[in-house]
Amino acid sequence: MPATDKTDRTMTSVTAQEALDFHSQGRPGKLEISPTKAMATQRDLSLAYSPGVAVPVLAIAEDPATAYDYTTRGNMVAVISNGTAILGLGNLGALASKPVMEGKAVLFKRFADVDSIDLEVDTENVDEFINCVRFLGPSFGGINLEDIKAPDCFIIEQKLREVMDIPVFHDDQHGTAIIAAAGLINALTLTGRDFKTTKLVCNGAGAAAIACIELIKAMGFNPENVTLCDTKGVIFQGRTEGMNQWKSAHAVKTDRRTLAEALEGADVVFGLSAKGALSEDMVRSMAPRPIIFAMANPDPEITPEEVARIRDDAIVATGRSDYPNQVNNVLGFPYIFRGALDVRASTINDAMKIAAAEALASLAKEDVPDDVAAAYQGNRPRFGAQYIIPVPFDPRLISAIPMAVAKAAMETGVARKPIVDLEAYGRQLSARRDPIASTLQRIYERVRRQPKRIVFAEGEEVQVMRSAIAYANQQLGTAILLGREDRMRETAEREGIDLDRPGIQIVNARVSKRVGAYTDYLYARLQRKGSLFRDAQRLINNDRNHFAACMVALGDADGMVTGITRNYSTALDDVRRCIDPKPGHRVIGVSIALCRGRTVLVADTAVHDMPSSEELADIAEEAAGLAKRLGYVPRVAMLAYSTFGHPSGERSERVREAVNILDKRRVDFEYDGEMAADVALNSRVMEQYPFCRLSGPANVLVMPAFHSASISTKMLQELGGSTVIGPLLVGFDKSVQIVSMSAKDSDIVNMAAIAAYNAGM
Ligand SMILES: NC(=O)C1=CN([C@@H]2O[C@H](COP(=O)(O)OP(=O)(O)OC[C@H]3O[C@@H](n4cnc5c(N)ncnc54)[C@H](OP(=O)(O)O)[C@@H]3O)[C@@H](O)[C@H]2O)C=CC1
Ligand SMILES: CC(=O)C(=O)O
Ligand SMILES: [Mg+2]
């Protein structure tokens, strides 16, 4: 069976091909290493390497703690596996585990700004594995062991904890236990149960299962009420087959022998075994208001749909992101290590685990502020059966969990560098949140709640087809592919793309019944601009941009995306023939630059060549409007080469006048200028101008002209390592986005999502 077939049937939100493409596009894999120091001059080289490097070497040799000051150690975690229990897929070897380990390394970075590297160790021999890892200690601030089968993982972790002086944490054990415990705390509250009397059955007796039941017993569960099952059934006292010391420690006195028998009347079931291990009959036999955590990955023991078929009183959680209540260790490991690293903890102890579980549980009970609500699919979440635990994109996690973990480490004496100012620590934690994740996530989540029909004007292009499928699969709405159907199907067939799936609509411009309506509409717009009816007819028949823009203009689609086959300004001219600016608005382009720790909007990066003062003021208003719609409080800097009159010059005069115009318009956002880019972006430099009206570094930069806008955003991207999205077109009466001709399918999907987002505003 080809590798992809195993998962094809089960992945609803992404296709197997998409998953392979995602991993192979650009640089293969999901990680790269980038230096934090410039290595530009002979001096840099002398400092970074010989002879300068000898100085920190000697300092560390004298005082090992200084390694945290002079090297990456303090923020570096290794994700280490031998691939013997990869998710619920079984023992597929060290190499096959690499995508998962790279994935965890990326999640460390994205969610908690922890640097991380994956290490796949090719041995199933426990001693060899331990020996390999123990000597790596000096490189890292912590070790995340992953996907190592039980019982080997228990021996490995125990031994490494003894011999290493940094946190060693097998995430499948403790990460899972922490998240499951948090979900359980809330599910028990909702069903009016308590820890002492609740009866729980855990199917699976491996790494995750043993750790989960150990943690819940530590939190107050009565051992007699916890029954463990494995492939041989119930683990009862006296059983000999398939046993080990870790299972024996949890064996109970009971006559029940099968999972089905164990589940009769049970309050809670934890599935930490394999796909499909729970049947409908088993769930039917559980107590009223049962709690079902089917946590096997990628496919749960039983799906929420299957449970819903037989009972409506259950609280159900899975390990997947495409169902409510995702009980997955991704909610824990980035933040737990963040807290542990920040206090240089020597270990991650039970108090720290329980603190993390409790912090997570209480977050779900808190009222959700607006910016957090945006991170949630569906409506604003309210504590209840469908929301017992926060989602991984919840922006509060980065402050709440590390804080709880760090405090517990300090209270239990394992923090080697206690934090004095916890308030300042909280602010630092929030600043670590990666804006890329939150900005795009907010857009995607909003669109999922109000799906939109987006026409992909260049539907015959293969990357456009892929983007359309990704758009539909992510439940953003209907993707309308425009083009000749036979050509599309030919390409789709050749590339293995399935166009006959929900959410994909093909519109063949040549045979469309709407050609007449679009031609009439276009002719009415162009007849006094030198065009004959025949010209309008030709544009509709032969040009996809005009056809697509007319679809949007006449309400047959909510928005459009184009740009792959034609340069930006030509595509823009095509659209302008069909769609006007919104009354009282000006069409401009805004690029979103996502830089480390901050997001900056840059305007106008698409339309006005050398804007007048009046136009610059309009651009400021449009860009500030977009910033607000994206959830930011705009602080607009009107940029120039000079700052507040120095050095003076005609070009700065134009920008200064734009500020005067904004003053007269009494706009309702912060703005000031003219100012140079360093004044706008660096609060220390801004302090030299105490009269400046911006309350902090600018997040919207209005450029004095198109050339400076275009040059600076491209330089940011190429030299500054920033991700630049856009330019996004704003100010049109209908929602249109144009991508660059070099756009990849992920860029096209992002722009389609943005088009859909704007269509809903
Ligand atoms: N949602 C989450 O965050 C996480 C989920 N998991 C999931 O938990 C599962 C187990 O992972 P892990 O503990 O690391 O793996 P292990 O290999 O350590 O343990 C697997 C356990 O599952 C048991 N098992 C397998 N199939 C069945 C079955 N059909 N019925 C009963 N028991 C069965 C095995 O029984 P035996 O001992 O008899 O071989 C073994 O005890 C995986 O599906 C994994 O994806 C794991 C970590 C995190
Ligand atoms: C999520 C995870 O770590 C697992 O399923 O193994
Ligand atoms: Mg795992």
Side-chain angles (χ1 to χ4, degrees), residues 87 104 146-147 172 329:
L87 309 174
K104 291 204 92 136
E146 189 67 32
D147 289 359
D172 295 290
N329 49 31

Side-chain angles (χ1 to χ4, degrees), residues 66-89:
T66 60
Y68 287 93
D69 301 322
Y70 301 132
T71 74
T72 56
R73 191 179 191 210
N75 198 44
M76 182 65 98
V77 168
V79 179
I80 310 185
S81 182
N82 62 359
T84 49
I86 308 177
L87 309 174
L89 302 171

Side-chain angles (χ1 to χ4, degrees), residues 85-88 100-101 104 145-148 170-173 176 297 329:
I86 308 177
L87 309 174
V100 177
M101 304 315 132
K104 291 204 92 136
L145 299 172
E146 189 67 32
D147 289 359
I148 302 167
H170 181 204
D171 192 39
D172 295 290
Q173 293 184 54
T176 317
N297 284 316
N329 49 31

Side-chain angles (χ1 to χ4, degrees), residues 26 121 124 191 480 734 758:
V121 180
E124 291 188 25
T191 54
I480 305 170
K734 303 284 173 182
N758 280 342

Side-chain angles (χ1 to χ4, degrees), residues 87-88 150 172 176 203 205-208 231 247 273 295-297 327-329:
L87 309 174
D172 295 290
T176 317
N203 194 47
T231 52
K247 292 182 184 178
S273 51
M295 293 176 275
N297 284 316
V327 173
N328 190 302
N329 49 31

